[in-house]
Structures are given as C-alpha cells and as structure tokens.
Amino acid sequence: MTHISEPIADRLAAVRARLAAACRAAGRDAAGVRLVAVGKTFGADALVRAADAGQRDFGENYLQEALPKIAALRAARADLVWHFIGPIQGNKTADIAAHFDWVHGVERERIARRLSAQRPAGAPPLQVCVQVNISGEQSKSGIAPAGAPALCHAVAALPGLKLRGLMAIPAPARAGADPRAAYRVLRELFEALRRDGFDLDTLSAGMSDDLEAAIAEGATLVRIGTAIFGTRT
Ligand SMILES: *Cc1c(COP(=O)(O)O)cnc(C)c1O
C-alpha cells in the first residue's frame, strides 16, 4: 500500500509548500488560504489517499461522477467538505444542493433560486461563490463583472444559501502577458463589492499552473487538480 499512497501524499506536500512560499512572497498568512483538491476523472481511491494525507476539502466538476465518490468517502469520513466547481445545469440543482457543502459556479439567479429551494431543511446553508467572467469573449462561463452586484444581492437574500465570495477561471494568459492581470480584475471587483457592504470572505481563484499569481492577487481558496492527482487523461 505504502508505495502506492506515497505519490499523492508527496504531491500534496509539494502543493502545500508552493502555497506557503507564495503566501510568504505576498506577505500573507498561509492559514488564510483554503486548498481544495480537485479530483475529477480520478477514482475514490485517489481521494482516500489525499484524505489520509490530511486533505479535507475536495472539488468535483461532474455530478454523476461525484455522487458515488462522495458516498464512498462519507462512509469512512464525515469531516470532508465537498465543493461543486463545474457548470450547473438546472436539472442537477437538487442533487448538488443535497450532497455538496459549497457551490462555486453560480452565474444565474434562476440557478441560485433552485439551489435555495432545494437545499434540504435542517442542512447548514450552502456556501456560494458567484462565478465572474473576467476574460470577456474568451470565456463563456460566469456573469459579466457589471452584473455581479445584482446577482450577489439576489444570492445574499435567498434562504438556505450563504454568499461567500467570487470565483473565476481566467483564460490562460498569453505568452509574455502578466499572469496576474485577470486576477487583479477579480480582486478589484471583490474589494468593490465589500466596500458596497457585501459580507464576502472568499476569492476562489488559482489552479495548478497559476496558483502563485492568484495568491499574489488575494486568492483565499485555490482549486488544485493536476498538481495533486496527476495529469488527466
Ligand atoms: C479542473 C479544474 C480545476 C483544477 O485544474 P488543475 O489545472 O488540474 O489544477 C480547478 N477549477 C476548476 C473549475 C476546474 O474545472
């Protein structure tokens, strides 16, 4: 067993070291950054190894793939936190609301209303990040920055949901371009919303290739797949 479990534990340790170094470089406390391990395409066994190595937050993109993994891991560990990070279709909201703790890809009020109505009674509020399109026409996902305040208002008012912050997946920076530029736009929007009185504490930004740029621009939650579990096929 040990020889199989070593790589994921080692990769996880390397990612934590990268996060710590990025926080040091930015003059930030590493305790202020939450690491979400993104397990899409990898089996429950890989997630178990990460959990054995101390990982608590897990992100999944595809509902059908995620549900059996959540069931498999919940049986053994009740303390894991599940983040839905993929695009949200209207016919999937009931299962997302029932099985996840966080949802990062909310980009329409209609979806937020469904998640609110379908969050099971007695469950803690579903933690929500509004997804913002900070790359303009290069990306289809996320609400335009100008629409973010109205959507944040709507989410904040819905029962069963807790608005936590913003999420973005920037288009890859072109060669030679500043990798922080897109994240700077996101951070400025986040700070403007906070000045307007929104109670936001989460900036969900940064993946395997660009976590340093995201941390430098204030990310409080990074979503890391490849650097922990390996290359997806
Ligand atoms: C797949 C995915 C990630 C992880 O990407 P890596 O480059 O493998 O770290 C993060 N966020 C979202 C929304 C994803 O779909």
Side-chain angles (χ1 to χ4, degrees):
M1 261 324 263
T2 316
H3 67 286
I4 298 171
S5 65
E6 268 169 5
I8 284 177
D10 289 353
R11 286 165 184 264
L12 200 47
V15 167
R16 292 197 180 281
R18 265 178 80 187
L19 281 173
C23 285
R24 263 196 310 280
R28 298 182 52 195
D29 181 353
V33 180
R34 187 188 277 247
L35 169 59
V36 175
V38 176
K40 62 172 175 253
T41 77
F42 292 94
D45 55 333
L47 275 58
V48 166
R49 285 187 204 115
D52 284 346
Q55 181 60 29
R56 288 292 165 265
D57 287 271
F58 288 90
E60 291 288 337
N61 290 61
Y62 310 110
L63 185 68
Q64 301 322 323
E65 181 195 328
L67 291 181
K69 287 199 259 182
I70 293 175
L73 272 82
R74 272 230 165 104
R77 301 152 216 272
D79 61 338
L80 302 185
V81 179
W82 295 96
H83 300 248
F84 192 81
I85 64 170
I88 308 167
Q89 294 162 295
N91 61 351
K92 303 283 167 60
T93 51
D95 275 329
I96 293 171
H99 295 283
F100 283 82
D101 305 293
W102 285 67
V103 176
H104 293 243
V106 173
E107 57 179 0
R108 288 195 301 272
E109 186 175 337
R110 185 179 73 87
I111 293 293
R113 288 192 179 285
R114 291 180 66 96
L115 291 169
S116 167
Q118 292 167 334
R119 182 67 168 170
L126 188 59
Q127 310 295 299
V128 173
C129 290
V130 161
Q131 186 173 354
V132 181
N133 179 355
I134 50 177
S135 302
E137 290 175 359
Q138 292 164 276
S139 167
K140 301 190 300 294
S141 306
I143 189 163
L151 182 54
C152 286
H153 262 296
V155 170
L158 286 167
L161 305 184
K162 168 77 179 132
L163 177 66
R164 294 294 295 267
L166 303 180
M167 178 269 210
I169 313 169
R174 281 192 302 278
D178 178 2
R180 287 173 56 171
Y183 288 128
R184 193 170 302 131
V185 173
L186 182 69
R187 167 194 219 151
E188 284 165 4
L189 178 61
F190 181 72
E191 288 173 355
L193 289 166
R194 283 171 38 125
R195 279 196 302 274
D196 285 350
F198 286 104
D199 174 25
L200 308 181
D201 65 3
T202 303
L203 203 43
S204 170
M207 312 199 295
S208 292
D209 285 342
D210 66 358
L211 72 85
E212 285 80 6
I215 294 290
E217 292 296 342
T220 67
L221 183 155
V222 294
R223 309 174 310 266
I224 309 295
T226 310
I228 296 172
F229 295 111
T231 306
R232 291 181 290 274
T233 48

